[in-house]
Amino acid sequence: MSSSYELLCYTREATGREKANNEDIAYSMHLALRADGAAQWEPLNENYGIFFAAGVPIQAATAESRRACVASAHFVADPFDEAHPATDAVAYGAVMPGIDITLKSLKNPYLFRLADGRFALAATRTARGGEPDGSERSAFLLAVSDDLTSFTQLGLVMLRTGGGVNRPSVAFDADASRYVISWTSNDGKSYVATVADIVAVAESGEPIDIAEAVVTAESSRSCDCNIPNAIPGNVIAVTEEEASKLIERFGRIYNVETSVATQHIDMAASREASREAVQALAKVRADLVYSDGSGATRAVDWNKDELEAIAQDAAEGKFQPGDTRTVSGRIRQTVYPVPFAVERADPSVFAWNFNGKPMFMFIATDDTDGNCVDPNDGATHMPLRIADSIEALSDAAGGRAKEIDLLKCGDYNAEGRAMTGCFWAPELHVIDGKLSVLFMPCFDGPATNPDGTPNERAGKPDMWTGSCHIMQLKQHSDGTDFDPREPENWTVPKPILTPTGGVLNPIQRISLDMTVISDSGRWYYAWQQVGSIWIASFDPACPERLTCEPKQVVVPEFAWDNMIAEGPNAIVHDGTIYLIYSGSLVGIDYTTGLVTAPAGQNADLTDPNVWTKLDYPLQKSGVYNGQWQLGTGHGMWSNDEDGNLIYVFHNAEYENGRYGGRDAQVRRVHWSKEGMPILDMQAAEELNPDYADITMKIVVSGNKG
């Protein structure tokens, strides 16, 4: 196998949450590349983890309840799991994150090749945070991958020892057609084990016989590493093609070229038609090419005087066939204010047509000073902004001063209950032709919790009483819409219930972050409850009632999305449903995950096996346009005025160690050549300033009219 690159795997020393490198992130496999002979390693994925050890479902979790634990689908019973009873979630065919599934981390990663040429990873599994979990006494973690952009986790390879399996390494001996496993025991002795099929051994859970080794393979891990805080694993050779795949997925993508196709005017048309043809050229878009071979188009602000002069010449019949003209322009690139909206979390931007008039709407959770339950001394509300452009919705453009309180503390729902807090994660959608808002209000807490203990939120807004609701804009008898800026033009909010009229979440009561997915003629809600994403179908003509029982489909299984998966939102692109979700609890560790499913193929989206989960976060804390943004997440897909896809999300306010709530942000989305959404493309990467000025060539054809 020819090679042009070397690949280093490593973990890091944890340096803190402020640089996205706490224990949850540091104790995962990172990757770095360098060309043969180069001195410096180039970290991939902004020096962030790429492979994370999957959490292990407890033995008391049933096969039905762990269906959404897709990362651990190949795991056999874990002998190192301390037996404890399952939560009530298991009886409902689900798992409770962090309780029915035990999160893990890893150390000492070691990359090697399988006999068929695929990649494999051996590592020491640890408890979340890096402490021993018992498996290091007699086992190591194994995963396989075609290209290191996704992984199949096989669980543990068991060895007949209790003396410690430190820094395990594996190599395939082609002459013997066996895998040689090497490690050091706790007393410093070197041991080996051999096996014909290491994948089958992991899947069986059967232990392998061992023997004391004559020499150690420890030298294969030695590496000069220039990456700060890195703890090197080992180095393997990769081909140029394999390196290109890794760079495409985990490197930076940037604009390398812009162009505009030559335009033609047919002078055989009438003079007025020729003039109109020239004027229509104002809508011609530029083509942008990127370093990975992907492309995009952007609107151009063409020189109006130059276009008008050409249009006038066309109207006066001054052109001859073969004549050429040029028009100068600048590619349009709106850079939205940062922050876009202070203390507005779970944001939703929606492009809507209000009875023939384009309208942009912004709605969000009020997160004043980090209090999203009853902010502003209990004056909880649902803030709505409406403007003619997205930029006009921002704080900088006066959007906050023009907010409308669509709902406020004390308003009643359809059950006659006073909604006193939260109004969480409102999302705008069109359902059955009606503009709709999905959101979660909460109510004053009862005197006691369901388990009989005193409720500290008794008589005050209690988030645990919250549930998904829907309200819809009323319509006139002719089907036109009432004005959405008037609160009285909306229906009284209704709770969304199961087919039998039950609550969505019988386990904990609370349900939130609801969104809509439409595919193959079926409509689904996706939302968060039991710390995970659930999906159920519904009839858009009766959107307050599900048509099937809810199913758990996304469970937080990794240290990066630990304890919670929430804020789902979906878009269809090139035959695939891209469902983003957020994890790692609210705060500066917040991240954005991704699951995908086939679109337009009648897939049952309530089946977790239909969805494919990305092993690492799609978006995480990082430097954007020169400044750190921490705790990025809970986003929504939308479109700007020019039809470009945008991503609206929040990040954490964090200064001098103080968390102050969440601010809304807006970015454009780029699709890589392989079809991955890029959510953190910098302004200069999206459009190289040197290529922003552009010229359009116009060629006259035909005979004079």
Side-chain angles (χ1 to χ4, degrees):
M1 177 178 60
S2 62
S3 173
S4 299
Y5 287 85
E6 293 178 305
L7 181 68
L8 166 70
C9 69
Y10 62 101
T11 58
R12 298 180 69 191
E13 297 173 357
T15 56
R17 303 167 63 207
E18 290 79 1
K19 300 296 183 182
N21 188 42
N22 62 4
E23 289 84 356
D24 287 336
I25 310 307
Y27 301 138
S28 63
M29 185 186 73
H30 299 52
L31 294 175
L33 270 173
R34 71 179 179 189
D36 279 349
Q40 300 294 307
W41 291 100
E42 295 294 335
L44 296 172
N45 202 27
E46 285 79 54
N47 205 15
Y48 195 93
I50 288 172
F51 174 85
F52 293 77
V56 179
I58 63 173
Q59 293 181 15
T62 63
E64 172 67 18
S65 69
R66 58 183 288 181
R67 289 175 67 240
C69 300
V70 293
S72 60
H74 296 271
F75 291 8
V76 297
D78 195 314
F80 308 101
D81 174 38
E82 295 184 7
H84 59 273
T87 68
D88 293 341
V90 171
Y92 286 91
V95 293
M96 185 76 70
I99 303 176
D100 298 320
I101 179 171
T102 306
L103 295 177
K104 300 293 181 180
S105 295
L106 67 85
K107 292 183 177 180
N108 306 320
Y110 190 93
L111 285 174
F112 64 99
R113 297 274 187 175
L114 295 176
D116 59 12
R118 288 184 298 158
F119 296 99
L121 167 70
T124 301
R125 196 187 74 182
T126 73
R128 178 188 174 191
E131 293 300 313
D133 72 348
S135 65
E136 75 289 343
R137 295 193 296 266
S138 55
F140 63 90
L141 181 69
L142 182 68
V144 297
S145 175
D146 290 335
D147 56 14
L148 299 177
T149 66
S150 63
F151 300 84
T152 299
Q153 305 212 21
L154 301 176
L156 296 173
V157 173
M158 304 296 299
L159 301 164
R160 292 192 190 279
T161 180
V165 181
N166 300 299
R167 299 179 71 81
S169 63
V170 183
F172 181 68
D173 183 343
D175 292 335
S177 295
R178 296 183 71 82
Y179 293 91
V180 180
I181 306 165
S182 305
W183 71 95
T184 304
S185 64
N186 293 341
D187 60 8
K189 293 181 179 179
S190 296
Y191 286 87
V192 295
T194 66
V195 63
D197 189 341
I198 196 168
V199 171
V201 165
E203 291 178 331
S204 72
E206 292 297 320
I208 309 171
D209 292 332
I210 72 170
E212 191 168 347
V214 178
V215 295
T216 177
E218 196 67 25
S219 60
S220 64
R221 288 181 174 271
S222 61
C223 170
D224 294 327
C225 183
N226 58 280
I227 302 170
N229 311 114
I231 305 173
N234 72 310
V235 176
I236 63 170
V238 293
T239 65
E240 185 172 359
E241 181 181 359
E242 290 168 334
S244 296
K245 178 72 173 179
L246 290 167
I247 293 170
E248 181 177 352
R249 176 64 68 88
F250 299 116
R252 302 302 302 181
I253 296 173
Y254 51 90
N255 176 224
V256 296
E257 180 186 335
T258 62
S259 64
V260 175
T262 299
Q263 304 297 309
H264 297 270
I265 303 173
D266 185 1
M267 297 308 298
S270 68
R271 293 184 177 184
E272 184 58 32
S274 298
R275 176 186 179 88
E276 291 175 355
V278 174
Q279 291 173 329
L281 298 179
K283 296 181 180 179
V284 171
R285 295 168 70 94
D287 296 310
L288 283 66
V289 178
Y290 291 84
S291 56
D292 67 332
S294 60
T297 68
R298 290 288 183 270
V300 180
D301 293 318
W302 294 110
N303 187 301
K304 294 180 180 179
D305 293 338
E306 293 174 0
L307 265 180
E308 178 56 33
I310 297 172
Q312 186 62 33
D313 286 349
E316 295 175 4
K318 293 182 178 180
F319 286 141
Q320 298 292 331
D323 286 352
T324 63
R325 297 290 180 90
T326 59
V327 179
S328 61
R330 188 170 183 84
I331 297 173
R332 191 177 303 160
Q333 185 187 36
T334 302
V335 178
Y336 297 103
V338 177
F340 187 84
V342 173
E343 296 176 332
R344 293 294 179 261
D346 316 322
S348 170
V349 165
F350 194 72
W352 188 56
N353 190 303
F354 175 44
N355 299 331
K357 178 183 177 182
M359 176 181 285
F360 289 91
M361 316 176 83
F362 172 89
I363 197 166
T365 302
D366 184 348
D367 198 33
T368 300
D369 205 28
N371 177 5
C372 57
V373 176
D374 53 353
N376 308 306
D377 297 321
T380 317
H381 64 132
M382 183 189 289
L384 172 69
R385 306 181 188 186
I386 294 179
D388 294 331
S389 70
I390 292 175
E391 193 168 10
L393 296 167
S394 67
D395 287 357
R400 190 183 186 95
K402 299 175 184 177
E403 280 183 349
I404 302 154
D405 287 348
L406 206 55
L407 290 171
K408 59 185 185 298
C409 179
D411 287 343
Y412 289 90
N413 75 349
E415 298 172 318
R417 302 174 67 196
M419 301 177 291
T420 57
C422 296
F423 299 121
W424 282 359
E427 277 197 10
L428 290 155
H429 294 274
V430 173
I431 300 174
D432 197 32
K434 298 176 182 177
L435 186 64
S436 308
V437 178
L438 300 168
F439 70 102
M440 187 205 85
C442 67
F443 309 88
D444 282 352
T448 58
N449 295 311
D451 62 1
T453 59
N455 183 9
E456 64 178 15
R457 298 296 297 181
K460 297 181 289 187
D462 180 1
M463 59 176 270
W464 293 99
T465 67
S467 66
C468 297
H469 278 57
I470 185 171
M471 56 192 289
Q472 296 186 292
L473 186 64
K474 299 174 184 177
Q475 295 180 322
H476 298 282
S477 58
D478 62 358
T480 58
D481 294 294
F482 279 65
D483 192 330
R485 289 164 287 205
E486 301 296 333
E488 62 270 19
N489 289 341
W490 293 81
T491 61
V492 176
K494 297 179 180 179
I496 296 173
L497 304 174
T498 67
T500 58
V503 298
L504 299 182
N505 183 3
I507 304 166
Q508 296 173 308
R509 295 178 296 171
I510 187 172
S511 57
L512 62 153
D513 294 355
M514 184 165 274
T515 193
V516 173
I517 307 173
S518 179
D519 179 66
S520 301
R522 293 195 292 268
W523 289 70
Y524 300 87
Y525 285 134
W527 70 97
Q528 193 265 96
Q529 63 186 32
V530 196
S532 47
I533 306 300
W534 294 59
I535 291 183
S537 58
F538 74 98
D539 181 350
C542 184
E544 67 273 16
R545 188 65 64 94
L546 304 182
T547 55
C548 75
E549 291 297 323
K551 298 292 184 182
Q552 187 181 45
V553 294
V554 179
V555 172
E557 297 182 78
F558 304 111
W560 65 261
D561 65 354
N562 62 83
M563 304 302 291
I564 197 165
E566 60 185 1
N569 194 260
I571 190 174
V572 175
H573 176 77
D574 284 351
T576 298
I577 301 170
Y578 291 82
L579 179 72
I580 49 177
Y581 70 95
S582 297
S584 196
L585 301 176
V586 172
I588 68 172
D589 303 323
Y590 215 40
T591 53
T592 302
L594 174 71
V595 292
T596 58
Q601 298 183 24
N602 289 307
D604 179 6
L605 300 186
T606 68
D607 181 356
N609 292 310
V610 165
W611 296 93
T612 300
K613 182 188 294 185
L614 200 64
D615 300 271
Y616 56 90
L618 181 68
Q619 183 194 34
K620 69 278 187 190
S621 299
V623 176
Y624 182 73
N625 287 346
Q627 294 186 331
W628 269 91
Q629 286 190 348
L630 298 172
T632 56
H634 199 125
M636 181 175 182
W637 310 103
S638 189
N639 292 97
D640 68 10
E641 297 89 335
D642 296 321
N644 302 311
L645 186 65
I646 60 173
Y647 173 58
V648 187
F649 65 100
H650 68 237
N651 71 287
E653 282 186 22
Y654 191 77
E655 189 172 358
N656 298 323
R658 180 184 178 273
Y659 171 71
R662 296 162 290 170
D663 300 336
Q665 311 289 358
V666 180
R667 298 178 185 169
R668 267 175 302 280
V669 178
H670 178 77
W671 292 97
S672 73
K673 185 178 181 180
E674 65 169 332
M676 287 292 291
I678 309 299
L679 305 183
D680 63 347
M681 183 169 276
Q682 319 285 317
E685 293 172 333
E686 178 194 19
L687 175 62
N688 187 323
D690 293 339
Y691 305 147
D693 291 319
I694 201 161
T695 299
M696 174 171 54
K697 182 180 180 180
I698 303 171
V699 177
V700 179
S701 61
N703 298 314
K704 292 183 65 175

